[in-house]
Amino acid sequence: GMCPHISIPDSDKEAVDCVMFGQLITWFLGEFNARNTSRRTVAHFHEWQSGVGCILSRTRGLDVGTIFTTHATLLGRYLCAGSSDFYNNMPYFDCEGEARRRGIHHRYCTEMAACHAAHIFTTVSRITQDESEHLLKRRPDLITPNGLNVHKFSAIHEFQNLHARSKKKIENFVQGHFYGHVDFDLDKTVYLFSAGRNEYFNKGVDLFLEGLAKLNYYLKRDNVDVTVIAFLIFPEETNNYNIDSLNGQAQHKKLKEKC
């Protein structure tokens, strides 16, 4: 196909590590199969970093079913970060050229080879299915949505107790944080969270803030007595502490101890 030979530059240490990892995975699968004669083996590879294992499993003819899953294509991440109106332009990108310009052509080829080598190619959403079709030139066979089936892992009452305890911690923090500044009814407070890497467009922070501004407008316009508190949790360097907030937390703690 488009990537018959993929050369990995020495300078890309992560990609070199991925090649070694892929070699080891293939070696492991071969050994595992030699000992496991009673059952069929299925290997599930996630993202381009695991792609070499998927490619070698097929080229070396291992008797292993292979699944390759992309959570977001490599090139898609770069194009999104470059705010190139990605979703409206998906069908029109020169993928090879874009990858070369960004110095990630070898990574892009690894991802593409893995997705074409796998018996089954999956992704996590309808939009990523379209993205994969345009950028990796294969439409995923299945969508396996991200998420946890919490009912499967814990009894409902346990989950409700955990939820109540966690909410109490959040309420404690909020009371301390806004102490002396804002007064509102905790029973009529809604908490929203957005968390991830600090990538303003890729992680949808722009949409989240825009949505909050619109929500704020509607709440004020219609005199709704609900308070919405939004947490934006993005790992980033911090320069100092918010003294007001620490002071508020201390006052709130003292008040609770006395009451």
Side-chain angles (χ1 to χ4, degrees), residues 147-212:
L148 292 173
N149 182 350
V150 291
H151 300 297
K152 189 175 167 185
F153 295 112
S154 68
I156 296 294
H157 64 275
E158 266 181 56
F159 201 72
Q160 284 169 335
N161 289 341
L162 183 63
H163 183 270
R165 285 204 303 276
S166 301
K167 190 170 183 184
K168 195 79 210 140
K169 285 181 185 174
I170 293 167
E171 286 178 345
N172 265 331
F173 168 78
V174 162
Q175 281 176 305
H177 188 72
F178 292 109
Y179 183 83
H181 293 283
V182 189
D183 194 25
F184 47 84
D185 184 349
L186 283 176
D187 291 328
K188 291 184 177 175
T189 301
V190 176
Y191 302 108
L192 299 178
F193 293 84
S194 181
R197 291 191 307 281
N198 192 2
E199 294 178 27
Y200 193 72
F201 296 105
N202 264 358
K203 290 296 177 190
V205 186
D206 53 336
L207 289 178
F208 189 60
L209 290 173
E210 204 175 299
L212 286 172

Side-chain angles (χ1 to χ4, degrees), residues 14 33 46 89 104 136 185 226 228 248:
E14 187 184 1
N33 253 5
H46 290 261
N89 289 314
I104 55 162
L136 296 175
D185 184 349
V226 169
V228 176

Side-chain angles (χ1 to χ4, degrees), residues 109-138:
C109 287
T110 304
E111 182 178 44
M112 183 183 270
C115 99
H116 285 270
H119 292 104
I120 299 291
F121 177 38
T122 81
T123 192
V124 295
S125 67
R126 179 69 54 80
I127 192 76
T128 321
Q129 193 177 39
D130 295 340
E131 179 187 332
S132 302
E133 183 176 15
H134 291 302
L135 303 190
L136 296 175
K137 315 304 178 197
R138 177 179 176 184

Side-chain angles (χ1 to χ4, degrees), residues 13 37-38 41 45 58 80 90 108 114 117-118 123 141 151 153 169 179 188 203 219 237 248 255:
K13 296 286 182 265
T37 50
S38 57
T41 305
F45 302 89
R58 295 305 311 277
C80 260
M90 261 193 315
Y108 170 69
T123 192
D141 307 293
H151 300 297
F153 295 112
K169 285 181 185 174
Y179 183 83
K188 291 184 177 175
K203 290 296 177 190
L219 290 172
E237 282 185 28
L255 201 67

